[in-house]
């Protein structure tokens, strides 16, 4: 494993912590600034919206710059945002820090995925992306309890100081361990047309129907999963019979599933990407539907929330490599995939909330999620059917295999 991948994973871990830890700190933050719970909640919503905007805007603005240089700048932005949060004395400054930190999120994972795949042989590109995203999945497991634990012991500012330190470690690692040429010409593009670097060329990649189909499949798969995930606490306590104190460890079971699914999905995508994506999405559809049917069983709920995490994240490495492949290596397409996932998250949570408001019960978001992901399966099937041979088959072995 190239050491540069570890540096990227540390960066992903820090960014993931920033996104998730705030949930465990909201009561302290609201009390510190004298704002309502709803206003404190905007520190989460504002972050998510900024991720969607920043992924496209920053990637477009830096299209001509070397990718390692862009990554370094993005991590600097991340460090500055968390530093603002750590020293914030007013709510507006706190919100500004959240927005600044969020702007780098989408571009980091979009551009970072291209850099990650450039560090290994072509037939291992999805696994390389999975290693980078491993930091994010681990942060999903540890983020909320980390924030709550540190905040309870040393105050909420200490949590942001800790994340700032992680950002500095990631920054040093990327500077020292990621080659300057990584991601500029991915191994699977050598001997073929170079990936587009100008903004006009990157925008031109969106003329591909395959790009749009992949983005749609991403948004729908995330939307279905997050639509169900957003209301899991209610499902566990109101349907499965768990206490509110049990929710934290149940969500950690889900997070462990994310870690496992990410690693399995990366390896499977390197063998037969479109088949792996269809299996992952189908598995998620079935899991959500069965979860809705068996949510009254505590034992079944534990097993199914784990499988929900496994199938939910098993498609992520493959989706990232697929969209960048069909976009001929355009970084803007990779970042657009991150934006699509966040848009899907927002729409999925909205749809799940509508189902509960309509009086359909706390298992309704699971069924709604299953229906949304089922549409994603159909979109992915259309994409796979229309893909060329090069898009469906794994990359041939490369001399770089020995380096990976």
């Amino acid at each position: 494993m190239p050491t540069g991948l570890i540096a990227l994973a540390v960066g992903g871990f820090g960014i993931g912590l920033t996104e998730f830890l705030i949930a465990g700190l909201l009561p302290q933050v609201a009390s510190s600034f004298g704002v309502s719970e709803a206003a404190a909640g905007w520190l989460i919503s504002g972050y998510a919206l900024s991720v969607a905007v920043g992924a496209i805007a920053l990637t477009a603005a830096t299209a001509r710059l070397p990718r390692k240089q862009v990554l370094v700048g993005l991590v600097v932005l991340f460090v500055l945002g968390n530093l603002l949060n750590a020293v914030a004395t007013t709510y507006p400054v706190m919100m500004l820090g959240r927005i600044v930190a969020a702007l780098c999120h989408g571009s980091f994972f979009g551009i970072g995925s291209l850099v990650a795949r450039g560090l290994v042989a072509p037939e291992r590109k999805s696994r390389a992306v999975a290693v980078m995203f491993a930091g994010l999945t681990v942060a999903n497991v540890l983020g909320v309890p980390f924030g709550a634990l540190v905040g309870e012991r040393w105050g909420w500012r200490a949590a942001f100081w800790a994340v700032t330190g992680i950002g500095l470690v990631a920054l040093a690692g990327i500077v020292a361990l990621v080659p300057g040429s990584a991601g500029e010409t991915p191994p699977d593009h050598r001997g073929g047309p170079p990936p587009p670097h100008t903004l006009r060329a990157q925008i031109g990649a969106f003329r591909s129907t395959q790009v749009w189909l992949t983005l749609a499949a991403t948004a729908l798969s995330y939307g279905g999963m997050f639509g169900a995930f957003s209301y899991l606490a209610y499902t566990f306590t109101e349907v499965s019979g768990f206490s509110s104190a049990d929710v934290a460890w149940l969500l950690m079971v889900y997070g462990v599933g994310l870690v496992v699914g990410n690693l399995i999905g990366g390896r499977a995508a390197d063998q037969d990407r479109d088949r792996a994506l269809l299996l992952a999405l189908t598995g998620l559809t079935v899991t959500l539907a069965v979860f809705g049917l068996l949510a009254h069983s505590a034992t079944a709920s534990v097993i199914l929330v784990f499988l929900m995490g496994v199938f939910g994240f098993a498609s992520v490495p493959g989706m990232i490599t697929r969209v960048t492949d069909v976009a001929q290596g355009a970084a803007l397409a990779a970042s657009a995939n991150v934006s699509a996932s966040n848009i899907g998250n927002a729409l999925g949570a909205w749809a799940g909330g509508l189902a509960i408001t309509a009086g359909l019960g706390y298992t309704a978001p699971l069924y709604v999620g299953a229906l949304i992901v089922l549409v994603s399966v159909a979109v992915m099937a259309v994409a796979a059917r229309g893909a060329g041979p090069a898009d469906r088959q794994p990359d041939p072995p490369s001399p770089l295999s020995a380096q990976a």
Side-chain angles (χ1 to χ4, degrees):
M1 183 187 301
T3 52
L5 282 179
I6 303 300
L8 293 174
V10 172
F13 176 67
I15 290 174
L17 277 183
T18 298
E19 180 178 15
F20 300 121
L21 66 79
I22 189 67
L25 300 172
L26 279 186
Q28 292 184 43
V29 172
S31 175
S32 180
F33 293 127
V35 298
S36 67
E37 291 84 352
W42 271 102
L43 295 172
I44 297 176
S45 302
Y47 185 97
L49 291 173
S50 298
V51 169
V53 173
I56 301 296
L58 285 185
T59 304
T62 58
R64 290 182 175 273
L65 297 177
R67 286 173 179 166
K68 177 179 177 178
Q69 183 177 324
V70 173
L71 278 182
V72 169
L74 291 171
V75 178
V76 168
L77 199 63
F78 165 77
V79 170
L80 289 176
N82 281 284
L83 186 59
L84 271 178
N85 288 148
V87 302
T89 55
T90 65
Y91 176 80
V93 174
M94 184 73 181
M95 178 61 78
L96 177 62
R98 291 291 289 169
I99 291 172
V100 170
L103 287 175
C104 78
H105 183 126
S107 290
F108 179 87
F109 285 108
I111 295 172
S113 65
L114 291 172
V115 172
R117 61 185 284 175
L119 293 172
V120 300
E123 67 273 15
R124 298 190 178 191
K125 60 190 177 187
S126 293
R127 275 171 280 186
V129 171
V131 170
M132 187 191 74
F133 272 88
L136 178 63
T137 58
V138 171
N140 197 300
V141 179
L142 301 178
V144 174
F146 172 84
L149 178 64
V150 174
E152 181 68 28
R153 189 152 191 173
W154 295 290
W156 64 266
R157 295 180 190 278
F160 287 100
W161 280 114
V163 176
T164 301
I166 293 171
L168 290 173
V169 171
L171 179 63
I174 290 171
V175 169
L177 302 175
V178 175
S181 59
E184 298 301 327
T185 305
D188 43 328
H189 280 84
R190 289 174 185 168
H197 284 289
T198 67
L199 180 57
R200 176 175 292 186
Q202 294 208 40
I203 292 175
F206 287 88
R207 296 192 187 100
S208 167
T209 303
Q210 285 291 324
V211 169
W212 287 106
L213 287 172
T214 309
L215 293 176
T218 294
L220 289 165
S221 63
Y222 269 87
M225 180 176 67
F226 203 77
F229 173 80
S230 299
Y231 304 97
L232 276 181
Y234 294 104
T235 305
F236 287 138
T237 57
E238 303 299 325
V239 181
S240 304
F242 291 102
S243 69
S244 56
D246 291 322
V247 172
W249 71 261
L250 287 165
L251 293 181
M252 289 188 70
V253 170
Y254 167 79
V256 172
L258 295 181
V259 176
V260 173
N262 176 55
L263 297 176
I264 292 175
R267 179 172 291 274
D270 281 333
Q271 302 303 314
D272 189 331
R273 186 177 54 224
D274 285 358
R275 182 172 180 271
L277 289 174
L278 284 168
L279 287 174
L281 296 175
T282 302
L284 180 58
T285 303
V286 172
T287 298
L288 292 174
V290 173
F291 198 167
L293 291 171
L294 302 181
H296 290 87
S297 166
T299 302
S301 294
V302 174
I303 296 170
L304 289 164
V305 77
F306 172 75
L307 292 176
M308 180 177 159
V310 172
F311 287 115
F313 223 83
S315 64
V316 172
M319 285 293 189
I320 285 282
T321 55
R322 188 179 205 283
V323 78
T324 49
D325 278 349
V326 297
Q328 300 301 312
L332 193 59
S335 296
N337 201 68
V338 180
S339 289
S341 67
N342 279 270
I343 292 170
N345 289 350
L347 293 178
W350 172 74
L354 282 182
I356 292 176
T357 303
L360 299 178
Y362 290 116
T363 59
L366 291 164
Y367 293 120
V368 171
L371 287 173
I372 294 173
V373 182
L374 183 61
V375 178
S376 179
V377 174
V379 172
M380 191 61 235
V382 171
R385 185 177 181 84
D391 296 323
R392 288 193 296 266
Q393 301 301 323
D395 293 287
S398 161
L400 287 175
S401 297
Q403 300 175 21

